[in-house]
Structure formats: C-alpha cells, structure tokens
Amino acid sequence: MSDCECLRFTDKNFNQEVLQSDLPVFVDFWGSWCPPCKTVEPIMDELAKHFDGKVKVGKLNVDQNPATRSLFNISGAPTFILFKDGQALERIVGARSKKQLVLFIEKTLESQQPE
Amino acid sequence: MHNAKCTCWNCPAIDLAGKVDFRACGQSGKQFDKTLDSTQETHIMAECKRRPELGLYDPMAITFQECPQWQETPYGYILKDMRVMILGIDGYLGWTLALWLGSLGCKVSGVDNYNRRNWVKERGAHTIVPISRMNQRLRAAKEILDIDIDFRQIDIYTQRERLKEFIDEVKPESIIHYAENPSPAFSMIDVEHAIEVQKNNVLGTLALLFTIRDTVPESALLKLGTMGEYGTPLTGRPLFEGIFPAEAILQWGGREWSLGGELTPRDPVSFYHVSKVQDTFNVYEACKYWWLRSFDIMQGVIFGVHTDQVAADPRLRTRLDIDEWFGTIINRFVAQAVIGIPLTLYGLGKQIRGFIALRDAMECMTRLICAPPEPGQYAVVNQISGIHSARQLAYTVAKIGREYFNLPVQIQRVENPRVEADEHPFEALYEKLPKRYGFKPKVTIDEEITRMFELFLTPEVKKRIEERKQVIMPKTWWSGVKKEVERLELLDLKGEIEEDERLRMFKVHR
Ligand SMILES: NC(=O)c1ccc[n+]([C@@H]2O[C@H](COP(=O)([O-])OP(=O)(O)OC[C@H]3O[C@@H](n4cnc5c(N)ncnc54)[C@H](O)[C@@H]3O)[C@@H](O)[C@H]2O)c1
C-alpha cells in the first residue's frame, strides 16, 4: 500500500529529488520481501513530519529501481543513507527505532558542520 | 476503502515471471545487477494475466481503485470473479468461508479429504449441528445460494501430485489454507496422535508451499496460525502481531538493538501448537526464498454458529463440536448449559485468551483476501476481536442461560489436564485488522451466545448433545495419565455473576 507521508524516490526522480536537493535527504532503500523494512515504514512517515522543512525523508524500492540500488552498492535491506549536496554522507543497515534514526540523522549532520 | 491504493504490485494477476531477484535481507543484489540496463527507469516491468492488452508496464502505475478488474464490496475492492481455493473446505471454517465468498461473487474451489469427519468418528464423538455429505452440501449451495463450488477429494499431504494438478487447472488467485488438524488435546492423546497431527499439519503445509512455488507463485496464501503459538509469557510483555515492531528494543550489556522485523518468540502449549509454529517458520522461509506472498493469521478461538449463508438452510450448516478434543470453549459451555452439566473451568479458570465470532472471522479473511501481500511479503495479523478469561465466559453463558432461557446453569472447577499457567497476564495486540484493513467487529459475544442457545435447544441438536455427553469431560492429560478429571469446586454463582458484572464494566478488553 502506498499511503505514506514520506516521499517515494525512483530511478527516474532520484537525481532531481535527492542528488540535486537543497536540503539534506534521508533515504530508506527497502524491499517488499524484507520484514525489517516493513516495520520501519511507519517510522519513515514520522521522520518526515519530525524533520519537515529541514531534511527531506523518503524511500526507494530496491527491486523496482535497480539502477539506483546498483549506483549506491546497496547489498542489504533496509539500508539508510543520508545525502547532502549530492553526496552520500553516511549509511546504516538494518532496522532502527525512531529515536535511533533521529540521532543518526542529527549526529551525521552535526559532524558536517564546520568547526 | 482500505485497499484502494494497493497497486498491481500487490495483485495476484501480475506476472513477474523471471524478473525477480530472490535474496535475503543482507544478501547482495549485485549478481542480478549485471543484466541492468541503466536507461530503463523501472526495472520490474510486469504483465497482467487478466488484461494482456496492457503489454509490459510499470506495476506501480495502476491502483485497485483505478483497475476495472477490482470491484467494490463492503470489505474492500475485490477481483471480479476472483478464483479462491479453500483447502479444508469441509471444515468448520472452510465450509462457512466457501459460502460467504461464493455469495460475494468469488469463484470458489476447494479440497478436503474428510480427515476431520474421520478423526471425530474415531473419538466416538459427533458434530452436534448435523451436517450433510459433501455432494449434498454442494447441491444445496447451488440450489439455495446459486453458488457453484468446484470440489476435489484430495489429501494435501499424501496426494501432492493431484493437488498440484488441481491448482494448476484452477490457477487460484488466493489460497486459504485451513486443511490441518486443529486440536491441541487430540495431539496429546498418545504418540500416534501426536505424530498424526504433526505429520499432517507440518508436512501438508510444506508440500503446499512447493506446489505454490511451482504453479501459482503470485497467488496470495492465507495460512491459519493460532494465538496459542505465542503462549502466555508471565512477564506480561505484549503479544505482538508475529513480528517485532522497529520500536521494540533489546538492551544488553549497555548496548541496544532494534528487534524490528524479527519473528517474536513462540511458546506453544501442545504438540498441535508446535505444528503451527513449525508451519509459521516454513511459510516465513518460503516467502524469503521464493518471493511467495502470505498472510499468517494468528487466529483466536472461534465461537458461534452463524453467518447468513450457513443459516439459510439446514443442509448448509457448518459443523460444531463440543467434545474434549474438538470442542472450543464457548461452544462447549453453551452445550453443557443446555443439557445441565455444570460448565467446566480447568484449574483456576483464569486463563485469558483472544476470541472472535465465526461471522467476524469470515469478514477478516475477506478483508485480507482483498489486500494481498506484496511479492515476498510474509505478513502476520492477530485475528481476534476481544480478550476474555475462561471464568468471564462461563459467567456470561450462565447468565444468558439463566435469564433468557430459564436454565439452571452451574459452573464447576475441575482439575486442569493441561500443562499451562491458569493465572497469568495477557496483553495481545490486534490493531492491524482494524487499522489497516478497516475491520470492525459486528457480533457481540452475548448476541452469538444467545443464537447458540436458540439452535442448541432445538430438539435435534439437544438430542445430539445428550447422545455424546460422555465425551465432554476431559480424559486426555498432557502428562499422559488416562483418567477423567475430578471436580474441585462447584462455584457459588450468585456472588460470582455480580462480580462478573463489575468486571465487565471494567472491561478486560484493551
Ligand atoms: N476453530 C478455531 O477456533 C481455530 C482457532 C485458531 C486456529 N484455527 C485454525 O484454523 C484452521 C481450520 O480450523 P477449523 O476449526 O475449521 O478445523 P476443521 O477441522 O473443522 O477444518 C479443517 C478441514 O481440513 C481438512 N483436512 C485436514 N487435513 C487435511 C489434509 N491433509 N488434506 C485435505 N484436507 C485436510 C479436514 O478434513 C477439515 O475438514 C486450522 O488450521 C486451525 O488450526 C482454528
């Protein structure tokens, strides 16, 4: 089902929506056969609300969009990558709680700040 | 409609043949990527078996709401003339569902080998609601409800080739798997019965999974599990819907991990329940290895006799058993009340379980048939509509029996032949069916119990209960002992029923 607050990225819009984005983008690379991915679904929607206006939050189905999957060497699902200015800053693999993901995003962005 | 936004990705009419990449969560997709054409925007292009004129297209592009093959019903959009195969179609739930789905316009086919009729006969018991032979059932379904059912007598475990041929011929879009032995006590009689149950259930299901892989991998499998797989952990931790949510955290040695996506622990309470746990793992694996799609339905204890279809004619009735092996608690209590046997609580009688009425269970199944899982998705729901203790149910039956039917109902505590906690916390989650699939229970316990009294008090049914009253009291002990349980106490009902009223105000329900 595609009822979701977070964005949906595809091979087609990835460049525009993620790599060219002015805001940092947090992407969940997921598969429908992956139970941990399914448990993260509601959290992605909450993150979209939580970071509204600060970080774009969205997900990409690795089976429907294999070009992007291949480009970023996704070998496990779910893989989360935080992008900024067209660069993949940091990634983690496997389900996480909302708190853990918020922390991951905030820490990664912080470490990018100039001293 | 809960399934309006599902797309062809969910639809069993999709043909993904050869375009999928079977792998586990941590397994590289690299090997597959070699064939990648980077100019292609959507790699998985599909064809529709129902609308070949679409050619190759993006399966995410069309929703159920938009597709003319999916039509509106009160339970969600459903495929026009959807081909549904019910395994175990002669059983309590299978027969009821066949008529229910037939009335909704599904093309129903079904398989049974009459195991249940034979097991019940072997125990010297019988269904108290008389049921017809299969050929009469089929004729009555046609005559009264205008439903055609394509039935084959097949044992899904020993006659695998025949089942495969039948599935290949029908090409079901949804397969409902009820064809198992459903009895905890039957599996505890002796080694022969334990083996019979595990062999029939575990190996029958395993064989079915291979058959689905080889014939109709896009079909959705709705396989019945039971809430009893979880047991009743004394810590009182919630019984999640089969899989831990990502917010469930394991803390150990100063570190923490999300358990999201892992199967929750199982603590089965009989060799029957062990067979269901093993089924769960086999289905889970098959979804992983072969991208099968399945709902694993952790069903609570079903009670009741009514749907509009089974009540339409005596020849359409579904079976109802009250013996110690096949009689489930509420059904058994009402039968005891009708013939003046004090309702039997095992041990303290404070065991708590999840329950759902027959009609409501049919609605849940339909809603899930309407929302097939995605490719490879192993999804779990807890299918219950309320939580009650054995005592609470006994009081309810006693109260209704006394007040509305003028029966002198009594309640007794007897020795507990099972090995189980008879006082324990219980917090089961059952949010997915209401929240994702739009289910709201329609039948209250009081209403269905009243209906059961009405039916059981008809002379024919009452006579059939009397005829088999000697098989109600348990003689099957989990320890292996063979003796009838002894009475521990006859309860003073007056005070207890008042207490029950307070309990009800309070609601054990979540
Ligand atoms: N009734 C309940 O309260 C309840 C609760 C939880 C789960 N369940 C599960 O629901 C399912 C159906 O339950 P039910 O109450 O309708 O039981 P049932 O015994 O009335 O129905 C099962 C049917 O499957 C048939 N069957 C068994 N083995 C077979 C085989 N090898 N090949 C072909 N047919 C076979 C039986 O003959 C029977 O008609 C079971 O899996 C049970 O474990 C039932």
Side-chain angles (χ1 to χ4, degrees), chain A residues 1-3 11 32-36 38-39 43 62-64 66 69-70 73 75-77 95-98 100, chain B residues 2 5-6 9 23 25-27 30 32-33 36 41 43-44 60 244 246-247 256 258 261 291 374-377:
Chain A
M1 262 164 277
S2 45
D3 232 353
D11 282 352
S32 60
W33 38 268
C34 158
K38 286 282 164 189
T39 65
I43 293 180
V62 292
D63 299 294
Q64 292 156 357
R69 172 182 84 192
S70 173
N73 273 322
S75 64
R96 295 290 194 281
S97 67
K98 179 180 172 191
Q100 290 172 324
Chain B
H2 63 95
K5 289 186 184 161
C6 289
W9 192 241
R23 63 188 188 278
C25 290
Q27 193 169 6
K30 275 235 159 98
F32 189 66
D33 290 345
L36 196 62
E41 280 152 6
H43 190 69
I44 289 195
M60 298 299 282
F244 278 119
E247 298 293 2
E256 60 173 50
S258 165
W291 271 33
E374 296 170 47
Q377 188 184 359

Side-chain angles (χ1 to χ4, degrees), chain B residues 262-286:
Chain B
E262 296 191 39
L263 290 182
T264 61
R266 301 301 202 263
D267 186 8
V269 289
S270 71
F271 289 124
Y272 152 73
H273 288 98
V274 174
S275 78
K276 304 297 268 186
V277 172
Q278 171 95 38
D279 282 348
T280 285
F281 279 93
N282 284 338
V283 174
Y284 173 83
E285 296 303 318

Side-chain angles (χ1 to χ4, degrees), chain B residues 87-94 111-117 119 154-157 177-182 200 224-226 272 276 299-302 319 328:
Chain B
L87 310 175
I89 196 172
D90 189 44
Y92 176 45
L93 304 177
V111 162
D112 208 293
N113 67 344
Y114 308 124
N115 256 348
R116 172 62 181 261
R117 293 189 191 228
W119 288 323
I154 298 174
D155 182 323
I156 69 159
Y157 165 47
H177 178 25
Y178 284 133
E180 300 201 30
N181 181 304
N200 185 70
L224 271 288
T226 147
Y272 152 73
K276 304 297 268 186
Q299 185 167 258
V301 185
I302 310 262
R319 63 177 310 120
T328 52

Side-chain angles (χ1 to χ4, degrees), chain B residues 78-145:
Chain B
I78 198 163
L79 270 177
K80 193 161 70 183
D81 303 322
M82 188 169 192
R83 297 187 300 276
V84 183
M85 184 178 285
I86 300 174
L87 310 175
I89 196 172
D90 189 44
Y92 176 45
L93 304 177
W95 181 246
T96 314
L97 188 65
L99 300 184
W100 174 284
L101 292 176
S103 303
L104 266 184
C106 293
K107 272 176 107 169
V108 180
S109 56
V111 162
D112 208 293
N113 67 344
Y114 308 124
N115 256 348
R116 172 62 181 261
R117 293 189 191 228
N118 294 331
W119 288 323
V120 169
K121 204 186 286 165
E122 174 220 295
R123 299 321 296 161
H126 67 198
T127 163
I128 58 160
V129 176
I131 56 171
S132 321
R133 287 174 189 281
M134 184 49 90
N135 54 6
Q136 280 172 306
R137 283 186 144 182
L138 298 174
R139 231 178 294 128
K142 177 69 189 162
E143 210 176 285
I144 294 149
L145 302 173

Side-chain angles (χ1 to χ4, degrees), chain B residues 263-327:
Chain B
L263 290 182
T264 61
R266 301 301 202 263
D267 186 8
V269 289
S270 71
F271 289 124
Y272 152 73
H273 288 98
V274 174
S275 78
K276 304 297 268 186
V277 172
Q278 171 95 38
D279 282 348
T280 285
F281 279 93
N282 284 338
V283 174
Y284 173 83
E285 296 303 318
C287 291
K288 189 162 87 190
Y289 306 153
W290 307 322
W291 271 33
L292 301 191
R293 314 144 176 247
S294 177
F295 273 119
D296 204 352
I297 298 162
M298 299 301 148
Q299 185 167 258
V301 185
I302 310 262
F303 61 93
V305 287
H306 185 83
T307 61
D308 289 345
Q309 297 81 32
V310 296
D313 187 274
R315 287 169 295 163
L316 295 178
R317 282 281 180 195
T318 195
R319 63 177 310 120
L320 197 102
D321 301 80
I322 54 156
D323 57 86
E324 64 159 309
W325 306 279
F326 294 100

